[in-house]
Amino acid sequence: MNASAPKSGGQVDAERIADLAAASRILAAQGVVDGFGHVSMRHPRARDRYLMARAVAPALVTPEDVIEYDLESNPCNANGRSSFLERFIHGEIYKARPDIMAVVHSHSPSVIPFGLVDAPMRAMFHNAAFIAEGVPVFDIREKFGATDLLVGNGEKGVALAEIMGKRDIVLMRAHGSVACGRTLESAVFRSVYTEVNARIQHWTTALAGSTAASLEGGAPIAALDREEGRLADAVNQTAALRAWDLWRSRVREQVNW
């Protein structure tokens, strides 16, 4: 063990570690991540620690891959295992937002265009209700100039967390997005339905445009307003568990953990 490594926040139940590993596989199965992307959860007994898999494709994550980090994103128990370069996304969000217990970073393809054009993502249906609060865009070049677009240190992680603010989602220009939750299950649910919502918004925008000739100014899009989003998202905190149970059971059938 590395003597200079941060002290562990304590033992975590094996079942919860398995759930975190399963979350990576769920996100891959749902098309949110592919060979890249990662999910973390705050240590359940130590708020200044978080847990995330080593640098490995999400669909291959096992419980043995999970590493504990401090909020500076230094590994406590790497034991030779490599870490994700962009782990600072997670550490800095946990620092800035004590209410957040899980973070997902992905490059889901339907979401990326909303970080490239001046067309805000809106909540198209109730399962994506949390989007109605607003979706900020983090453009890394505004503060750091030309970069590799990766959040590869704490300073860039701080900048991203500042743009996200009190919301639970942030887009990353020409890169991807981050979705967060008060539970691991909620963060996974939100990540899945952010991608679904983006697809629906693409279709809805195309449909609205196709009727523009008969409607002065184009067809309006009746997305959820902020209050509808607040009410629906409260329901989703319970509904997310139903989806999680389904997705988790599929992973358990495949790997027996």
Side-chain angles (χ1 to χ4, degrees):
M1 181 174 291
N2 185 351
S4 64
K7 183 179 178 181
S8 170
Q11 186 174 356
V12 179
D13 292 343
E15 183 175 350
R16 204 57 181 150
I17 294 291
D19 284 343
L20 178 58
S24 288
R25 291 176 177 246
I26 288 167
L27 292 166
Q30 296 299 312
V32 177
V33 298
D34 47 19
F36 303 94
H38 25 86
V39 53
S40 70
M41 71 177 185
R42 196 187 291 268
H43 193 299
R45 296 185 179 88
R47 298 190 62 81
D48 59 349
R49 298 288 185 270
Y50 70 95
L51 304 158
M52 187 167 67
R54 67 181 176 91
V56 63
L60 301 179
V61 171
T62 70
E64 290 72 29
D65 294 317
V66 174
I67 298 173
E68 180 181 346
Y69 295 89
D70 67 12
L71 297 192
E72 299 297 330
S73 296
N74 299 308
C76 302
N77 59 340
N79 300 326
R81 296 172 294 176
S82 59
S83 295
F84 284 110
L85 176 64
E86 292 194 290
R87 61 192 182 278
F88 303 96
I89 292 171
H90 304 256
E92 297 305 328
I93 287 175
Y94 289 129
K95 275 190 205 175
R97 292 283 302 277
D99 58 316
I100 285 176
M101 299 301 289
V103 175
V104 177
H105 170 50
S106 67
H107 314 130
S108 57
S110 302
V111 174
I112 290 173
F114 292 96
L116 298 172
V117 299
D118 188 18
M121 182 178 287
R122 301 171 66 191
M124 295 289 105
F125 73 136
H126 62 293
N127 280 0
F130 82 110
I131 290 173
E133 188 63 26
V135 184
V137 178
F138 172 63
D139 187 345
I140 197 169
R141 68 183 170 186
E142 290 182 357
K143 183 170 184 178
F144 300 100
T147 69
D148 57 13
L149 299 174
L150 302 178
V151 181
N153 59 43
E155 185 181 8
K156 292 173 181 175
V158 168
L160 182 146
E162 287 176 348
I163 294 296
M164 190 177 81
K166 295 183 178 180
R167 297 180 177 90
D168 293 333
I169 182 172
V170 60
L171 305 186
M172 303 163 72
R173 183 191 65 85
H175 185 160
S177 63
V178 177
C180 308
R182 275 67 177 174
T183 65
L184 175 64
E185 294 82 356
S186 175
V188 170
F189 181 91
R190 286 173 164 180
S191 296
V192 170
Y193 284 104
T194 295
E195 167 64 18
V196 174
N197 186 86
R199 294 199 301 265
I200 293 173
Q201 187 165 346
H202 289 306
W203 300 332
T204 304
T205 301
L207 181 62
S210 72
T211 60
S214 59
L215 289 169
E216 184 178 352
I221 296 177
L224 276 69
D225 63 30
R226 181 170 292 184
E227 181 63 10
E228 289 174 322
R230 184 186 67 80
L231 294 170
D233 187 54
V235 176
N236 286 344
Q237 300 312 304
T238 300
L241 296 176
R242 187 190 313 167
W244 172 266
D245 287 344
L246 170 64
W247 299 331
R248 182 68 178 91
S249 68
R250 289 174 176 169
V251 173
R252 193 173 286 112
E253 289 170 358
Q254 293 170 354
V255 296
N256 199 31
W257 44 259

